[in-house]
Each structure stands twice: as C-alpha cells, then as structure tokens.
Amino acid sequence: MNQFLGFCFQFKTMLDEFDNQDGLRQLYNVISVLPVLEQMNDNYNLSSDEENAQRQVVRHVCVALKKYFESHIFYKYTLVTQNPSSKISLPMRSLKNSNEIINDQIMNLQSIALKSNWQPVNVFLQLGGIKLLILVIAHSYEWNYSGRQETVISALDVINICCSVQKVHAVLCERIDFPEGASAAGINIILGAAEGEIVADPDVQKSALSLLVNCICAPVQKATNKACGSTPR
C-alpha cells in the first residue's frame, strides 16, 4: 500500500485527487480503529498473529503519511518561495528530498509565519492525527516486530513537517490518555524517543531531535509572504 501511494503522491494531479476524495481521512481511519492501539480493552482478545498483522498495518500507514506530507511540503515550499509578481507554476512531480532539505523547508516555512490555512495539516489536526501518531510512538515501546523502527521514524517525521504550522506545537503540550489509564504530554513522548527510550536506534533519535529543534528553535521574528497568506505579528 505505502509503495503505491508513495508513488502516486509524487504527482501533483494524483495528490490533489487524493485530497479531493478525502483520502487523508480514509488513511487515518485505517489505523484509528485498530484494537492493537487499545490493548487494554477487554473487548479485544487478539492472537499474536493478529497483533503482528495490525502492527504492520500501522507501519504501512505511517510510511504512507510520511510520503504524503513530504510531497505536500515540497509543493507548499515551492509555492511560497516563488516571486509573487510572476506567474505561479508548480512542477508536475515532486522531488525526493533529504531530511536535511526538508528540515530547511520547515524552518523557512516557520520563518514566514504560515497561518493556520495549510489544508493538509488542518485536516490532520481535526482528525486527531497528531495525537494518534504520538500514541503509536508510545505503543512502539512495547511492540517487538519487524518494522518498529520505520514506524516510529515515519510518525516523528510526519509530526515534524506538521510543525510548520504553529498550532501543532500546542497539541504536543496536551496530555494524551493511554488505554491503560496513564497519561503524558506529547512532548514527553518525543523526549523519550530522543533519549532512545522508545527504540534504541540512532535514526529514531535523529528524527526525534529534528522535531524538537523545529519546535523549540522556531524563529521568533516572523517575516511575511503574500503567497502563503501571512500577516505581521
């Protein structure tokens, strides 16, 4: 699934059609109702095979979400960095950028004060996608299956891109309730990932640290840019 969607998301026409068909909501719904994310619910009694299968579904959806938002930030960054006086022209296919380039794009979008009108992030926030991904990251601490590292990295990278919009930062400060009755602020889960407590893997820690940097070190003074609909602070 993630390979097919990842290929489709590269093309602007396919990406727009996915959004027109409310694809993000449908992708979110694939994992939001999975019993594996409600392990303490007595109504579910999953076998080990069922649990592993559902964890792989979570993995595929997280990877697909990462590719979706990587394509969107490519087009958004291309749009806002064009000369407003020139004719707007977007490439038909997005580029596969490195994490370093994507982080630069996030910082630049933050510096021009993106208003809360970036539709993909707005929809994802309304669905509760940020909290769901934090829940996935937290559950990954106890999961032991092939692809756990990729799941956590993809979830962190999606949240990182969403942090281009300032109100996502506030969501990370909210407490999230877990099925077993515990609760924690989202930022505490991210800190745990950065310290290697979730998955002891340097790539996971790198993604978590990138997210923390973009949250904590976001520009204080915002420039303005008509193309992204920003206003002076």
Side-chain angles (χ1 to χ4, degrees):
M1 177 184 70
N2 60 330
Q3 291 181 347
F4 171 75
L5 290 176
F7 179 78
C8 291
F9 290 153
Q10 296 178 47
F11 298 93
K12 187 69 168 66
T13 302
M14 298 296 291
L15 186 64
D16 290 342
E17 185 61 24
F18 182 84
D19 288 334
N20 292 337
Q21 297 294 329
D22 203 17
L24 186 56
R25 179 186 299 275
Q26 297 179 46
L27 199 56
Y28 166 86
N29 287 340
V30 171
I31 61 173
S32 64
V33 296
L34 288 179
V36 74
L37 294 178
E38 299 181 2
Q39 292 175 338
M40 299 304 293
N41 192 326
D42 294 334
N43 294 326
Y44 300 110
N45 186 16
L46 300 177
S47 66
S48 59
D49 288 341
E50 289 173 328
E51 286 187 3
N52 287 331
Q54 291 191 13
R55 290 168 185 170
Q56 290 296 342
V57 171
V58 173
R59 170 194 176 190
H60 290 310
V61 170
C62 287
V63 173
L65 286 171
K66 176 181 177 180
K67 293 179 179 179
Y68 170 83
F69 280 103
E70 284 179 347
S71 291
H72 261 300
I73 196 172
F74 170 83
Y75 287 115
K76 186 67 173 179
Y77 182 77
T78 302
L79 176 64
V80 301
T81 53
Q82 286 187 348
N83 189 337
S85 61
S86 63
K87 183 179 178 180
I88 297 177
S89 177
L90 295 175
M92 295 181 59
R93 183 173 182 175
S94 64
L95 299 177
K96 173 61 179 177
N97 288 323
S98 65
N99 291 334
E100 289 74 17
I101 293 177
I102 292 174
N103 278 321
D104 287 341
Q105 292 174 340
I106 293 169
M107 293 295 288
N108 284 324
L109 289 176
Q110 288 177 336
S111 70
I112 56 178
L114 264 185
K115 291 180 70 178
S116 302
N117 60 352
W118 192 12
Q119 188 64 14
V121 177
N122 280 350
V123 172
F124 202 54
L125 274 173
Q126 292 169 3
L127 291 171
I130 300 297
K131 291 185 177 181
L132 180 63
L133 290 182
I134 293 174
L135 188 63
V136 168
I137 295 170
H139 272 295
S140 296
Y141 173 76
E142 297 180 345
W143 290 352
N144 184 18
Y145 74 105
S146 171
R148 182 173 67 147
Q149 170 194 359
E150 186 178 28
T151 301
V152 176
I153 290 175
S154 298
L156 289 168
D157 289 347
V158 170
I159 299 173
N160 192 23
I161 293 175
C162 290
C163 280
S164 300
V165 176
Q166 290 181 339
K167 63 182 180 180
V168 174
H169 300 193
V171 176
L172 297 179
C173 296
E174 298 176 3
R175 298 194 71 83
I176 297 175
D177 295 326
F178 299 104
E180 58 269 22
S183 66
I187 195 67
N188 289 338
I189 305 299
I190 307 303
L191 287 168
E195 293 174 354
E197 295 178 356
I198 304 297
V199 181
D201 181 87
D203 290 330
V204 171
Q205 293 178 272
K206 183 177 179 181
S207 289
L209 288 170
S210 294
L211 171 54
L212 289 172
V213 167
N214 288 328
C215 287
I216 299 171
C217 303
V220 176
Q221 297 296 328
K222 310 291 185 181
T224 61
N225 188 306
K226 295 181 179 179
C228 68
S230 59
T231 56
R233 292 187 64 179

